[in-house]
Amino acid sequence: MRQLVTWAASACVGFVRAGAVVLVSMLVPAVWAAAVALAIWWGPGNPWSWLPAFLVVCVGSIALSRPVCRMFRFLVGKWTSTVVAPGYREAPPVVRMSTGFWWNGFSYERTSRDARMDQRWRLRWNDPANWRDLRFTAIAPCTAGLVAAVPLAGVATAAIGLGGQTTVARLVGLLGLVVGIGCSPYAWRIAEPVAVRFLRASPAMALAERVGELTSQRADATIAQAAEIRRIERDLHDGAQARLVALGLSLATAEKLMETDPEQARALMRDARAGAATSLTELRELVKGINPPVLNDRGLVAAVRAFALDSPLEVTVSADELRLDPPIESAAYFGIAELVTNAVKHAHATRAHIRIAGDGTGIVVEVEDDGRGGAAERADGGLAGLRRRLAVFDGTLEITSPQGGPTHVRMSVPCESL
């Protein structure tokens, strides 16, 4: 009984999905049919009747190609979890030059509006993905649309045949019902291979996107490295260096006062010793901020546990014992530190849980806090920087933070050493 109910539910869901595939696939052919109807209505004897039909076919196909492909990608991703990347070219930023003209990546224009309009049209006509979408609107009806229409045609045949008066008509209707119900759970599944085959970016386009992505990552890494060097320089200049200069002056003064005022000299030396201890503490904190010694000596898990003990939050850590490549361990450690710091400063959380595990292909880190939620990724914020840090290793960042909390962040970084 349970299997029968499961089959009935699968058939119903499959029938609805097949109908959705047919509807999306046939949008552009419906425009073509409307164009033919317009030409017939205009009059077969009119020598210009083909012109409006031709215009309707061209404009309708071009206007619907991208929405149809987006809907197809959305349905495939929702039903099968297969992500078909669109592969559209990203518009470069429109920048005003010192001459007053606006550069849009292709040409100079007098105004920002003209530059953006020119850029939009150039991308529209020069992007190979647009022509790939246009090709797909012609392929989809003959492949996915035709196969997905089998359950609908079977049910329609059953409705007509079973209502007939002859035995042959009823047999045909019964056969259509069996075919329609039997194909319903499977007919829509052709949408996935068709989308993957004809909507996925070409190898040349994927390579170009990868080159652009790596170029962006290299620029981000260069900027981050320069900012880190400036931070270290500033910390050394304002902290340890100033204290060491003061220490040298105190020792020089104590040396002069040693014979005339020993008590004052001893006081200066005590102050110098305290200053030396403070400088040493600052240097240790600076080294810890660059690369914690426990991370080098004992690995990521031990470093995270030590960090959790020093955190003002009540932090629990559940982790597999892993040793990864040092750059990946460093990225994961500072990512965890960033997330816990955000939970303290912005979310006003009281507890946090950190989970570190391997999934066979890399490391997965999950950080969840009981704060007020609402974490948003800004272009110049810490979460965006964390995403760029992980992207260097082809890592991903997923943030779930509804208003009122909790905030759940998942970091995933592939690693061949696991």
Side-chain angles (χ1 to χ4, degrees):
M1 185 63 181
R2 179 179 298 177
Q3 293 180 349
L4 182 61
V5 172
T6 303
W7 169 260
S10 177
C12 292
V13 172
F15 188 82
V16 173
R17 292 181 176 179
V21 172
V22 172
L23 178 62
V24 174
S25 302
M26 296 300 176
L27 283 177
V28 174
V31 173
W32 300 343
V36 173
L38 178 64
I40 295 174
W41 174 79
W42 190 271
N46 189 338
W48 297 101
S49 61
W50 62 271
L51 183 58
F54 178 75
L55 292 177
V56 170
V57 168
C58 293
V59 175
S61 300
I62 293 174
L64 288 175
S65 60
R66 182 171 290 192
V68 165
C69 294
R70 283 177 175 170
M71 285 188 284
F72 222 89
R73 292 188 186 96
F74 171 76
L75 293 177
V76 170
K78 185 177 181 180
W79 293 341
T80 67
S81 300
T82 300
V83 178
V84 182
Y88 299 117
R89 286 180 177 173
E90 296 292 336
V94 176
V95 182
R96 187 171 189 178
M97 310 303 292
S98 59
T99 57
F101 286 86
W102 294 82
W103 170 252
N104 61 10
F106 303 97
S107 64
Y108 293 97
E109 302 293 337
R110 291 185 177 275
T111 64
S112 173
R113 178 177 175 274
D114 293 341
R116 296 183 188 280
M117 184 178 297
D118 177 77
Q119 181 190 74
R120 183 164 56 250
W121 281 106
R122 287 178 183 270
L123 288 175
R124 184 71 178 177
W125 290 106
N126 296 332
D127 191 350
N130 293 320
W131 302 107
R132 184 182 67 235
D133 290 353
L134 194 62
R135 180 192 64 178
F136 181 80
T137 58
I139 294 175
C142 305
T143 54
L146 191 62
V147 175
V150 172
L152 281 70
V155 173
T157 302
I160 297 173
L162 293 177
Q165 301 299 323
T166 63
T167 304
V168 175
R170 292 177 179 176
L171 288 176
V172 172
L174 182 61
L175 179 61
L177 182 63
V178 172
V179 172
I181 296 177
C183 294
S184 293
Y186 312 105
W188 63 271
R189 298 181 184 276
I190 192 175
E192 179 185 6
V194 170
V196 171
R197 173 63 181 82
F198 296 105
L199 278 182
R200 182 165 288 177
S202 64
M205 191 67 185
L207 179 60
E209 290 182 356
R210 184 57 176 166
V211 170
E213 181 182 353
L214 292 176
T215 302
S216 176
Q217 291 176 3
R218 182 182 64 182
D220 290 338
T222 303
I223 294 173
Q225 182 181 23
E228 186 68 12
I229 291 175
R230 288 194 300 270
R231 182 188 69 83
I232 295 172
E233 180 184 9
R234 184 175 61 253
D235 290 345
L236 287 173
H237 182 273
D238 298 341
Q241 179 178 341
R243 292 186 181 276
L244 290 175
V245 170
L247 175 63
L249 293 176
S250 297
L251 290 177
T253 305
E255 184 180 5
K256 293 179 181 179
L257 295 175
M258 187 65 68
E259 296 181 358
T260 59
D261 193 350
E263 188 62 30
Q264 183 67 24
R266 282 193 293 269
L268 289 174
M269 294 182 68
R270 286 194 297 268
D271 293 340
R273 183 174 58 186
T278 304
S279 299
L280 182 60
T281 302
E282 289 182 352
L283 289 173
R284 285 174 177 171
E285 291 296 327
L286 182 61
V287 171
K288 184 178 179 181
I290 298 173
N291 198 9
V294 66
L295 184 63
N296 290 332
D297 298 339
R298 300 174 57 190
L300 174 64
V301 175
V304 171
R305 294 187 188 278
F307 174 79
L309 293 176
D310 296 335
S311 174
L313 293 180
E314 180 184 341
V315 181
T316 57
V317 180
S318 59
D320 300 338
E321 291 300 328
L322 304 171
R323 283 310 300 259
L324 309 172
D325 296 334
I328 296 179
E329 286 191 333
S330 178
Y333 174 84
F334 286 107
I336 293 172
E338 174 75 22
L339 295 174
V340 174
T341 302
N342 287 346
V344 176
K345 293 174 57 179
H346 306 297
H348 302 293
T350 59
R351 291 188 303 274
H353 178 72
I354 302 172
R355 179 179 175 271
I356 305 173
D359 62 354
T361 60
I363 180 177
V364 176
V365 178
E366 296 177 330
V367 180
E368 183 172 355
D369 64 71
D370 63 348
R372 60 186 180 184
E377 184 175 342
R378 300 188 305 274
D380 56 347
L383 293 177
L386 177 56
R387 184 182 296 277
R388 290 192 295 267
R389 183 195 292 264
L390 297 177
V392 175
F393 306 98
D394 289 333
T396 58
L397 179 69
E398 300 175 9
I399 305 171
T400 304
S401 182
Q403 290 293 338
T407 296
H408 181 271
V409 181
R410 184 178 189 272
M411 297 183 291
S412 177
V413 182
C415 183
E416 295 182 356
S417 61
L418 287 179

